[in-house]
Amino acid sequence: MTTIALVPDALRADVETLWDYHNMHHVVRPSDVGIGLGSHDLGVATCAADLYQQGMFPVIVFTGANAPTTVSRFPRGEAVHYKEHAIELGVPEDAILVEPRAANTGENFTYTRNLLKQHGVAVRSAVVISRPYQQRRAYATCKKLWPELEVTCASLPLSLDDYVTSIGDVDRVINMLVGDTQRIIEYARRGFAIEQPYPDEVAAAFQRLVAAGFTSRLV
């Protein structure tokens, strides 16, 4: 019998607060390119394929090398495996570009911008596709490094419980949420991203989850 991963009731309100905060709640609209950010989550490639087939963009860039948490799952690199998955889902190979070197979100955008320029692809707008809890950080990073780009954020439309079940590891998801929340503040301070609103209820939820021991993804 399979055990379904669930957020503990004692933590649910705070985890839901962070989950909602990182969702930019953008309405996806047709754009010049889809940019799929590499990670451990193959759902990024699934979302990119879905949006491509809806006609939201004519070309996809998958960007990402490997992190210690992804090298065993994606031994040929995150972007390469994303491309293969999107092709399996019906995206034509010639509609996909692969950027295989980026090791962080800043490099995702810097290297993608250079790749599109090399291929002569004029870009004024993009749909940035990421894990659900990475949307806000991806947006803030992109607008810092590529400020003229019109950015819409997207992820697979999953509830918190559905996402946790898809990953199969409650602690990992909560730790990632906590880590990304810290990065919203810390990366803006370091000049890696633009500042974002940081409501009191988000700060309080973050502090309680840190106190509860979810610290493995803090910088």
Side-chain angles (χ1 to χ4, degrees):
M1 181 176 178
T2 301
T3 300
I4 298 175
L6 294 174
V7 177
D9 289 343
L11 304 175
R12 175 168 292 277
D14 288 336
V15 176
E16 288 275 11
T17 294
L18 298 192
W19 176 262
D20 186 67
Y21 173 66
H22 288 287
N23 188 335
M24 297 297 288
H25 300 285
H26 287 166
V27 175
V28 178
R29 54 187 177 272
S31 300
D32 296 322
V33 64
I35 302 173
L37 304 183
S39 71
H40 63 85
D41 184 356
L42 202 59
V44 174
T46 301
C47 182
D50 289 347
L51 293 173
Y52 173 86
Q53 288 162 346
Q54 292 173 34
M56 291 298 171
F57 35 75
V59 62
I60 303 169
V61 178
F62 289 124
T63 167
N66 272 125
T69 55
T70 65
V71 67
S72 61
R73 184 176 187 193
F74 301 136
R76 295 186 303 283
E78 296 158 3
V80 172
H81 285 266
Y82 277 18
K83 174 183 176 178
E84 292 170 353
H85 185 63
I87 290 171
E88 290 173 358
L89 295 175
V91 178
E93 184 172 2
D94 61 6
I96 303 173
L97 297 174
V98 167
E99 185 295 295
R101 297 185 299 122
N104 57 58
T105 307
E107 290 181 354
N108 285 144
F109 292 115
T110 299
Y111 295 167
T112 292
R113 187 178 191 176
N114 292 341
L115 180 67
L116 288 166
K117 185 175 181 180
Q118 291 168 11
H119 283 264
V121 180
V123 175
R124 295 183 300 274
S125 60
V127 179
V128 174
I129 305 138
S130 69
R131 297 163 289 179
Y133 57 81
Q134 192 186 7
Q135 284 191 22
R136 187 173 293 276
R137 180 162 64 87
Y139 176 83
T141 305
C142 186
K143 294 303 287 186
K144 178 70 177 185
L145 298 173
W146 203 343
E148 70 276 19
L149 188 69
E150 182 181 340
V151 180
T152 303
C153 293
S155 304
L156 279 180
L158 298 174
S159 69
L160 171 61
D161 285 335
D162 286 343
Y163 187 76
V164 169
T165 299
S166 75
I167 298 300
D169 187 336
V170 176
D171 285 353
R172 180 177 190 175
V173 173
I174 297 175
N175 274 302
M176 297 294 277
L177 274 166
V178 170
D180 266 44
T181 303
Q182 184 200 35
R183 284 163 174 77
I184 294 297
I185 301 301
E186 186 62 28
Y187 284 6
R189 183 180 296 125
R190 297 184 188 187
F192 300 160
I194 65 170
E195 291 186 358
Q196 290 290 287
Y198 193 59
D200 290 345
E201 62 269 22
V202 172
F206 167 77
Q207 292 295 342
R208 284 191 291 266
L209 289 169
V210 169
F214 294 97
T215 60
S216 69
R217 289 291 297 169
L218 296 181
V219 293

